[in-house]
Amino acid sequence: MIQEIVRIFEKASRNFLQEQSTFILSGVSERSLCGELMKYLAREISETNFSKYHVDVEHNRNEGGKLKTIKNGKEIVIPITCDIIVHSRGENIKQDNLIAIEMKKSTNNKVEKDKDRERLIALTKDSFDNLWSYDGKTFPQHVCRYQLGVYYEINFIARHVVIEYYMKGELQKNYIVGF
């Protein structure tokens, strides 16, 4: 499953970078860039076994309209809003969360970039405190179990994107793609 999810993301990213390079280089906001990448992800997802999943920008609600929260590395509960997520909106309790993407421009400061990375580590963990009682009816208290976390940093000057993959609470791969 994870290989297919990575393939979906990589195809969407490749098409976004190829087709939207002028838009990307125009200096638009991070939010606008996320909206465009979301469209490419939605198109790729629609043609797969994950077609019932939704791609949302800055989604911050969980089952029943509760704020999405995570526990950070210091076990502090914090509300979260990801730049882009692919999830079932609570319709698939077995695997609600597929992809969490945090996008940054390379000009952002290191503290903000590291906060996004910390968020992706927390989101891709299988559980918090190694406890998650999966009964097929109840979601965990804090958001977790994203199959893939993606840190996506756009460098306009160098015309490339730094991409980092997080899985199971750890950085698994990083690489650079030109556009």
Side-chain angles (χ1 to χ4, degrees):
M1 171 164 59
I2 191 66
Q3 290 88 359
E4 185 176 4
I5 293 169
V6 168
R7 185 195 61 72
I8 289 165
F9 169 76
E10 288 180 349
K11 186 172 180 189
S13 174
R14 184 173 50 253
N15 290 337
F16 166 69
L17 293 172
Q18 287 174 354
E19 296 172 18
Q20 298 297 328
S21 62
T22 302
F23 180 73
I24 294 166
L25 293 170
S26 73
V28 297
S29 71
E30 181 184 303
R31 202 171 289 142
S32 292
L33 294 168
C34 289
E36 281 301 307
L37 179 55
M38 177 204 72
K39 293 175 189 176
Y40 286 85
L41 268 171
R43 184 174 67 205
E44 291 308 318
I45 289 281
S46 72
E47 299 171 3
T48 70
N49 293 333
F50 302 107
S51 62
K52 294 190 187 228
Y53 281 81
H54 306 273
V55 184
D56 291 316
V57 173
E58 295 198 10
H59 192 277
N60 69 345
R61 296 295 167 175
N62 218 344
E63 178 191 29
K66 294 185 275 183
L67 277 174
K68 285 188 176 217
T69 60
I70 58 172
K71 278 189 179 179
N72 67 12
K74 298 173 184 150
E75 296 298 305
I76 297 170
V77 175
I78 54 175
I80 61 136
T81 303
C82 287
D83 289 330
I84 303 171
I85 61 173
V86 179
H87 62 146
S88 75
R89 293 184 185 161
E91 296 164 6
N92 183 344
I93 196 162
K94 185 175 179 185
Q95 186 58 61
D96 184 38
N97 302 316
L98 291 184
I99 306 172
I101 300 170
E102 292 292 355
M103 183 184 288
K104 281 286 184 254
K105 292 182 177 182
S106 62
T107 54
N108 281 61
N109 66 53
K110 183 176 177 356
V111 171
E112 291 303 313
K113 293 175 185 180
D114 288 344
K115 278 184 186 177
D116 280 359
R117 289 177 172 111
E118 185 178 321
R119 189 175 305 115
L120 292 168
I121 288 168
L123 288 168
T124 58
K125 285 183 176 182
D126 283 336
S127 66
F128 294 96
D129 300 330
N130 294 321
L131 295 173
W132 184 44
S133 175
Y134 174 69
D135 61 6
K137 300 175 188 169
T138 309
F139 285 104
Q141 181 179 2
H142 305 290
V143 181
C144 60
R145 296 190 69 232
Y146 277 87
Q147 296 298 296
L148 177 65
V150 179
Y151 177 77
Y152 199 84
E153 182 177 310
I154 299 176
N155 185 318
F156 301 95
I157 295 166
R159 292 185 64 142
H160 71 239
V161 177
V162 173
I163 299 174
E164 298 174 2
Y165 290 155
Y166 292 83
M167 296 172 213
K168 298 197 177 288
E170 295 182 9
L171 174 64
Q172 299 291 320
K173 178 181 177 181
N174 60 350
Y175 61 100
I176 295 175
V177 175
F179 65 92

